[in-house]
Amino acid sequence: QKEVEQNSGPLSVPEGAIASLNCTYSDRGSQSFFWYRQYSGKSPELIMFIYSNGDKEDGRFTAQLNKASQYVSLLIRDSQPSDSATYLCAVNMKYSGYALNFGKGTSLLVTP
Amino acid sequence: IAGITQAPTSQILAAGRRMTLRCTQDMRHNAMYWYRQDLGLGLRLIHYSNTAGTTGKGEVPDGYSVSRANTDDFPLTLASAVPSQTSVYFCASTPSPGTTEAFFGQGTRLTVV
């Protein structure tokens, strides 16, 4: 069982809607949380990071962190077809030199 | 060089052969990582290095070795390749371990036949 869990999807939303991506993690000592986007055949690219409980907004993206529930989410407002990709949740792993531990990713499809 | 570069971009390798995947960064990042990505399994950590001269094992280290002789380079060696090592390999780096954004190379697609 991976220590970072995501629904694999695919998650399908219509253009203009809000996409909600969820992630849970098992290591209570984790301090840094990241959302990456990966297009097919490409490298992961950072969308957002969050360190503190609560919400963090950046343009159309909002990351939410609840350390008590060990839960982190990503909301994408006004979803566009170009947002169609795999979204990877990543959490730092204290026992592996604070390397990032990735979930398997959630595939998002935004339909026109 | 700008950022983090991997070589080769793709390779077909006969089983039993030795292969070194190269990774070089010019950002003076202290920490470097090797991941493999397989369909349905996501990105899994192979080895990491938090600073030049030190390395550590990740989730799936068996069959792989690394070295970190200097800050910029972090090669990954497959001593005797097996078909199960067919994967896409990503090298990544961060300024400091774990707390900041990881920058990824473009990946190496390796097929072991």
Side-chain angles (χ1 to χ4, degrees):
Chain A
Q1 180 182 357
K2 284 202 62 103
E3 298 188 12
V4 180
E5 296 285 346
Q6 297 179 254
N7 290 327
S8 60
L11 173 65
S12 183
V13 300
E15 185 175 356
I18 296 175
S20 178
L21 304 163
N22 304 314
C23 173
T24 59
Y25 61 95
S26 61
D27 182 5
R28 286 193 172 273
S30 298
Q31 300 172 350
S32 307
F33 307 87
F34 303 82
W35 282 100
Y36 283 79
R37 178 175 62 196
Q38 187 176 27
Y39 293 110
S40 180
K42 301 296 185 181
S43 305
E45 55 181 345
L46 182 72
I47 298 175
M48 292 192 70
F49 61 87
I50 186 167
Y51 301 152
S52 304
N53 279 327
D55 295 358
K56 180 180 179 182
E57 185 175 320
D58 184 2
R60 295 187 297 114
F61 299 96
T62 299
Q64 300 174 317
L65 175 62
N66 184 326
K67 290 185 178 180
S69 300
Q70 295 175 248
Y71 176 91
V72 58
S73 66
L74 179 70
L75 299 177
I76 306 175
R77 291 180 298 280
D78 189 24
S79 295
Q80 301 297 310
S82 59
D83 294 327
S84 298
T86 297
Y87 289 80
L88 304 169
C89 175
V91 178
N92 70 320
M93 293 183 292
K94 182 177 181 179
Y95 58 86
S96 292
Y98 291 97
L100 290 179
N101 186 0
F102 286 84
K104 295 181 182 180
T106 299
S107 176
L108 173 66
L109 177 63
V110 181
T111 56
Chain B
I1 296 176
I4 185 164
T5 302
Q6 294 182 232
T9 55
S10 66
Q11 181 76 44
I12 298 174
L13 185 68
R17 297 295 296 270
R18 180 184 179 90
M19 174 77 187
T20 295
L21 308 184
R22 300 185 297 278
C23 176
T24 299
Q25 52 101 1
D26 63 355
M27 300 174 283
R28 308 302 294 170
H29 285 178
N30 286 314
M32 298 186 73
Y33 312 93
W34 275 105
Y35 292 89
R36 60 177 289 174
Q37 188 172 37
D38 303 288
L39 194 63
L41 296 177
L43 282 158
R44 293 181 292 169
L45 182 69
I46 305 172
H47 285 286
Y48 65 92
S49 169
N50 283 341
T51 189
T54 68
T55 62
K57 294 181 180 180
E59 181 183 356
V60 287
D62 294 343
Y64 305 95
S65 63
V66 292
S67 62
R68 187 87 184 278
N70 57 63
T71 297
D72 298 343
D73 301 298
F74 191 42
L76 176 73
T77 297
L78 289 68
S80 179
V82 295
S84 61
Q85 292 177 309
T86 294
S87 186
V88 179
Y89 291 85
F90 286 103
C91 180
S93 69
T94 61
S96 60
T99 57
T100 55
E101 175 184 0
F103 293 82
F104 282 82
Q106 77 275 31
T108 295
R109 183 174 295 275
L110 179 67
T111 304
V112 182
V113 297

